[in-house]
């Protein structure tokens, strides 16, 4: 059984391993095996019987929990297995909180600690009362816009005639004991940034490098209206609208598929960590990147986002209101919609990945819309020739790269490696059978 989310191997016992036990207790539980090396081989443990008394006592006195500690034997060697169960309350070790994530132990601080405390209490960040807010902080025009959306979507048609603000908010689970929750301010507040300083969207237009910021814009507003505000500013100031004609009629279309970009922004609003940095949208000549602070739910991978998956929003109260207002679907189809809209528009599949402590979605233009000189920036003449060769022939081998450029194998290997690192080629196979093909972002 390899090391994993729930398994940790240690050759000998040290009291500092109480941190690992603390981490397992705060996560999903797990086992620590004392007497096994990093290769998974049983090496045995000295003074096993004494440890069988010391370890349970130290766990109970320093962590306040109880674990099953078993002495086992294999090939004449003793080893100890510590079985840690998950706990509903948060466990600390010497005043610090630890958490098992993947195969590593993390010390929790700041937002991560706050989120885990809420999780243990059966709460999410958006489900907490905001004591500084009152009903005068609610924007009635946003409420009216929501009522209209809920009626059109037929998800809450009875709201069309609703006049009682408190009743409407209560129906949306935005009140607790008559007090406004954080989600109420985010959704319908007149000025959410007054309560949550980073509840805005920052947009930047970049040149050919990340340090070449041409201009930027900050968009504020409540969550129910924010997506439309962002789309309006993007269209007016950041996008170049392609022009075509139907007969004599001039038609301006979006530089990127409207529905895909709207869905990306709505997902960022619903899933972001509001105690962290603001949503950031970076616009380049060849791509658009939307980044928000947060992470995928446990047991959900980026590959899962390409197919139907369970819907587990970071802010479920916020997501529920968005669904009832007709802004989003509730069945984990948002990322599928983004991918399909890009494909319909002839764009490469967007890239969804972890980035700088958050999640980014990169929407790319088709290659033919990107300036040639900009696209090949950083490549030498031989590498550009190789890219054009692969566009015509579908692939290239190291030996072919040597022939078309009249260079040594060593130089060819180095330059092909650079093309892979810069995202122009993908490599399949090894040795003489290795083949380089065009990366997805160069496909037309």
């Amino acid at each position: 059984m390899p090391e994993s989310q729930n398994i940790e191997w240690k050759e000998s016992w040290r009291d500092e391993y109480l941190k690992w036990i603390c981490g397992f207790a705060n996560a999903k539980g797990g086992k620590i095996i004392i007497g096994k090396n990093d290769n998974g081989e049983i090496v045995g443990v000295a003074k096993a019987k004494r440890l069988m008394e010391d370890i349970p006592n130290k766990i109970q006195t320093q962590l306040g929990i109880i674990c099953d500690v078993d002495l086992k034997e294999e090939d004449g060697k003793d080893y100890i297995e510590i079985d840690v169960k998950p706990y509903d309350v948060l466990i600390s070790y010497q005043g610090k909180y630890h958490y098992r994530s993947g195969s590593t132990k993390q010390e929790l601080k700041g937002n991560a600690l706050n989120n885990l405390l809420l999780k243990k209490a059966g709460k999410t960040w958006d489900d907490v009362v905001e004591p500084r807010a009152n009903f005068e902080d609610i924007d009635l025009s946003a409420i009216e816009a929501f009522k209209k959306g809920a009626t059109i979507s037929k998800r809450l048609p009875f709201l069309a005639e609703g006049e009682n603000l408190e009743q409407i908010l209560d129906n949306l689970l935005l009140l607790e004991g008559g007090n406004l929750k954080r989600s109420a301010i985010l959704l319908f507040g007149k000025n959410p940034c007054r309560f949550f300083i980073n509840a805005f969207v920052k947009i930047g237009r970049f040149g050919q490098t990340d340090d070449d910021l041409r201009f930027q814009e900050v968009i504020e507003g409540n969550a129910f209206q924010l997506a439309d505000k962002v789309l309006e500013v993007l269209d007016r100031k950041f996008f170049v609208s392609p022009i075509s004609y139907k007969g004599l009629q001039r038609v301006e279309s979006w530089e990127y598929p409207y529905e895909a970009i709207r869905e990306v922004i709505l997902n960022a609003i619903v899933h972001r960590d509001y105690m962290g940095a603001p949503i950031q949208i970076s616009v380049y000549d060849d791509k658009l990147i939307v980044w928000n602070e947060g992470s995928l739910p446990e047991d959900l991978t980026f590959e899962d986002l390409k197919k139907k998956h369970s819907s587990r929003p970071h802010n479920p109260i916020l997501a529920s209101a968005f669904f009832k207002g007709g802004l989003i679907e509730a069945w984990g189809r948002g990322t599928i919609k983004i991918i399909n809209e890009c494909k319909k528009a002839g764009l490469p599949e967007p890239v969804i990945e972890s980035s700088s402590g958050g999640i980014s979605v990169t929407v790319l233009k088709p290659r033919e819309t990107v300036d040639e000189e900009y696209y090949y920036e950083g490549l030498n003449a031989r590498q550009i020739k190789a890219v054009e060769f692969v566009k015509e022939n579908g692939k290239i081998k190291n030996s072919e790269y040597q022939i078309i450029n009249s260079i040594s194998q060593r130089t060819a290997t180095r330059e092909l490696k650079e093309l892979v690192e810069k995202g122009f080629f993908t490599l399949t196979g090894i040795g003489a059978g290795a083949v380089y093909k065009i990366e997805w972002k160069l496909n037309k």
Side-chain angles (χ1 to χ4, degrees), residues 354-384:
S354 294
S355 174
S356 303
I359 295 175
S360 67
V361 180
T362 302
V363 182
L364 296 125
K365 287 184 183 179
R367 185 196 169 283
E368 60 266 25
T369 67
V370 181
D371 179 74
E372 192 87 353
E373 181 179 347
Y374 167 72
Y375 208 88
Y376 287 134
E377 182 184 18
L379 301 188
N380 62 36
R382 294 188 297 269
Q383 291 170 319
I384 293 174

Side-chain angles (χ1 to χ4, degrees), residues 103-123:
S103 58
T104 63
K105 178 196 69 64
Q106 302 173 353
E107 183 182 337
L108 296 176
K109 299 178 181 179
N111 294 340
L113 178 57
N114 288 333
N115 288 333
L116 187 59
L117 283 167
L118 288 171
K119 182 179 178 180
K120 294 291 185 181
K123 287 272 192 178

Side-chain angles (χ1 to χ4, degrees), residues 114-397:
N114 288 333
N115 288 333
L116 187 59
L117 283 167
L118 288 171
K119 182 179 178 180
K120 294 291 185 181
K123 287 272 192 178
T124 53
W125 183 88
D126 61 337
D127 195 30
V128 175
V129 166
E130 175 47 62
R132 299 170 294 169
N134 57 55
F135 287 96
E136 292 183 1
D137 293 306
I138 298 298
D139 183 353
L140 297 181
S141 65
I143 293 289
E144 291 302 316
F146 173 83
K147 287 166 59 177
K148 183 178 179 180
T151 302
I152 293 173
S153 67
K154 298 182 180 179
R155 289 169 182 169
L156 288 178
F158 64 86
L159 282 185
E161 306 301 324
E163 297 292 339
N164 187 301
L165 175 60
E166 186 170 350
Q167 186 63 49
I168 292 172
L169 295 175
D170 193 45
N171 286 336
L172 295 174
L173 307 178
L174 302 179
L175 296 181
E176 186 173 304
N179 299 309
L180 295 171
K181 293 181 181 179
R182 290 169 173 170
S183 46
I185 296 298
L186 283 173
L187 282 162
F188 305 120
K190 293 176 182 176
N191 184 10
C193 287
R194 176 174 161 239
F195 299 90
F196 318 114
I197 192 169
N198 286 326
F200 62 88
V201 177
K202 184 165 64 175
I203 311 175
R205 181 61 169 89
F206 292 85
Q208 295 186 6
T209 60
D210 289 339
D211 59 356
D212 183 15
L213 177 62
R214 302 289 176 80
F215 55 89
Q216 61 182 325
E217 192 85 23
V218 171
I219 316 298
E220 297 183 0
N222 56 62
F224 198 75
Q225 299 170 333
L226 195 57
D228 288 335
K229 285 185 177 182
V230 170
L231 289 165
E232 189 272 328
V233 172
L234 282 172
D235 187 35
R236 172 171 50 84
K237 190 172 181 178
F238 290 84
F239 289 167
V240 177
S241 299
I243 298 172
S244 60
Y245 290 86
K246 286 187 178 180
L248 297 177
Q249 184 178 3
R250 173 186 169 112
V251 178
E252 292 191 16
S253 56
W254 269 59
E255 189 174 9
Y256 295 93
Y258 175 88
E259 288 298 330
I261 302 303
R262 182 176 184 272
E263 194 70 30
V264 173
I265 295 169
L266 288 171
N267 268 270
I269 292 171
V270 167
H271 293 287
R272 67 160 290 194
D273 182 348
Y274 280 92
M275 297 299 288
I279 295 170
Q280 298 173 32
I281 303 176
S282 304
V283 183
Y284 299 83
D285 288 343
D286 62 335
K287 61 181 176 287
L288 174 143
I289 303 174
V290 179
W291 177 93
N292 70 293
E293 188 159 327
S295 59
L296 288 182
E298 293 180 1
D299 303 326
L300 191 67
T301 68
F302 287 104
E303 197 62 31
D304 292 332
L305 301 181
K306 298 180 182 181
K307 55 192 177 184
K308 185 177 178 180
H309 55 275
S310 59
S311 179
R312 288 177 277 172
H314 188 73
N315 301 293
I317 305 296
L318 201 66
S320 176
F322 266 40
F323 170 72
K324 292 170 182 175
L327 294 179
I328 63 171
E329 298 295 331
W331 298 104
R333 294 178 57 246
T335 48
I336 299 174
K337 182 177 181 180
I338 294 166
I339 293 170
N340 289 340
E341 290 293 331
C342 287
K343 289 181 178 179
K344 282 167 54 179
L347 273 62
E349 182 176 298
V351 181
I352 307 174
E353 59 188 350
S354 294
S355 174
S356 303
I359 295 175
S360 67
V361 180
T362 302
V363 182
L364 296 125
K365 287 184 183 179
R367 185 196 169 283
E368 60 266 25
T369 67
V370 181
D371 179 74
E372 192 87 353
E373 181 179 347
Y374 167 72
Y375 208 88
Y376 287 134
E377 182 184 18
L379 301 188
N380 62 36
R382 294 188 297 269
Q383 291 170 319
I384 293 174
K385 183 190 292 187
V387 172
E388 296 300 327
F389 179 91
V390 176
K391 283 164 51 186
E392 293 180 10
N393 299 280
K395 59 185 180 181
I396 191 171
K397 292 185 176 181

